Amino acid sequence: MSSTHGRGNIELLSATLAKAKSEDRAALVAYLPAGFPTVGGGIEAVKAVIAGGADVVEIGLPHSDPVLDGPVIQTADDIALRGGVKIADVLRTVREAHEATGAPILVMTYWNPIDRYGVERFTAELAAAGGAGCILPDLPVQESALWREHAEKHGLATVFVVAPSSKDARLATITAAGSGFVYAASLMGVTGTRESVGNQAADLVRRTRATSDLPVCVGLGVSNAAQAKEVAGFADGVIVGSAFVKLLLDAPDLPAGLDAVRALAGELARGVRRS
């Protein structure tokens, strides 16, 4: 299932999202940081969420100043960084998880580590590992030409993040530059009541779809099947991160953690099936 000649797996990502749509459901997208609780344990966790029912996995590249991540993911990142996680470990996680499962695996990272590592080197190595692309939450579209040139050359998706505050013209600029899918970010339970946040996310998806045919996947603080079902009612994909990470953090040992994330993935996978 892995890619050849350093070509990434954007086609696999698109086909996976299209398959979910053809089954009249949203795709389940799971997020897990590389190197947490260890590099090997993190790889096993990715396999477990896919075995449970996740369609796509985002691998977080741990960062010392994760401005967009909440306390749960920050804690996991801190554990991974103290364990000495490197970009090579992130790429190994992508490679081994993809080879074991055949699922599309993306990397979610802030721009600084890639900039330091080298854009050409990173895109070539991610593609060679079978990666499907990158989610770059802090890379402004207007500064993304170099990244996009290399990502396109290597068959990698460039996923940009949109927010409820994004104006329509801005959404059109972002979606025109992106590929794979659009990551619609909204935080359940942080701004206003949960109901209004749900409405805000639904409105963001509607406005984003008006600018693009790309699938729109929502990261909304979803942690259970009922919330997954709600978001699946208006989005092409449901992104779940902190809920998986918290289970691994709270587990007494790795086997218990793997069982817990596999079970949650199964529950969420039932939730995104709208019927």
Side-chain angles (χ1 to χ4, degrees), residues 15-29 52-56 209 215-217 228-229 231-238 265 268-275:
T16 301
L17 294 170
K19 180 174 183 286
K21 187 175 184 178
S22 76
E23 295 169 358
D24 190 35
R25 66 179 180 87
L28 175 59
V29 183
D55 299 289
V56 178
R209 282 196 180 133
V216 184
C217 301
K229 187 180 183 70
V231 176
F234 58 80
D236 299 296
V238 179
L268 294 165
R270 287 188 290 278
V272 299
R273 285 162 172 78
R274 300 178 185 118
S275 56

Side-chain angles (χ1 to χ4, degrees), residues 4-238:
T4 53
H5 312 303
R7 289 294 294 171
N9 274 316
I10 186 172
E11 294 88 355
L12 174 64
L13 174 64
S14 298
T16 301
L17 294 170
K19 180 174 183 286
K21 187 175 184 178
S22 76
E23 295 169 358
D24 190 35
R25 66 179 180 87
L28 175 59
V29 183
Y31 168 94
L32 291 163
F36 168 75
T38 60
V39 177
I43 292 166
E44 292 308 311
V46 179
K47 293 181 193 172
V49 294
I50 294 168
D55 299 289
V56 178
V57 177
E58 305 170 3
I59 302 296
L61 194 158
H63 195 267
S64 52
D65 183 27
V67 284
L68 299 174
D69 293 318
V72 169
I73 290 170
Q74 283 184 23
T75 301
D77 277 4
D78 191 46
I79 290 167
L81 290 165
R82 286 206 308 263
V85 72
K86 301 276 188 291
I87 286 182
D89 300 310
V90 178
L91 295 166
R92 178 189 150 198
T93 302
V94 172
R95 178 184 294 103
E96 294 191 15
H98 173 62
E99 285 176 352
T101 65
I105 315 283
L106 299 112
V107 169
M108 185 165 191
T109 178
Y110 296 96
W111 179 244
N112 193 34
I114 292 183
D115 196 33
R116 287 206 308 258
Y117 195 76
V119 176
E120 166 58 25
R121 180 184 173 199
F122 185 84
T123 50
E125 291 180 9
L126 179 57
C134 247
I135 300 159
L136 300 158
D138 67 338
L139 178 64
V141 171
Q142 60 274 19
E143 293 169 27
S144 67
L146 177 70
W147 163 266
R148 286 188 285 134
E149 177 195 332
H150 288 292
E152 213 167 293
K153 184 168 89 179
H154 291 293
L156 296 169
T158 298
V159 177
F160 288 112
V161 178
V162 297
S165 57
S166 306
K167 302 279 184 281
D168 291 355
R170 175 89 183 133
L171 288 177
T173 303
I174 293 171
T175 58
S179 55
F181 64 90
V182 181
Y183 188 122
S186 186
L187 294 173
M188 191 177 282
V190 174
T191 21
T193 66
R194 185 172 161 281
E195 186 188 358
S196 74
V197 177
N199 291 343
Q200 211 177 16
D203 180 61
L204 175 59
V205 170
R206 182 186 57 74
R207 293 192 300 120
T208 303
R209 282 196 180 133
T211 71
S212 173
D213 291 332
L214 287 172
V216 184
C217 301
V218 174
L220 231 172
V222 170
S223 61
N224 61 46
Q227 292 168 339
K229 187 180 183 70
E230 182 188 345
V231 176
F234 58 80
D236 299 296
V238 179

Side-chain angles (χ1 to χ4, degrees), residues 252-273:
D253 53 36
L254 181 62
L258 296 177
D259 285 345
V261 296
R262 192 182 299 108
L264 177 61
E267 179 193 324
L268 294 165
R270 287 188 290 278
V272 299
R273 285 162 172 78

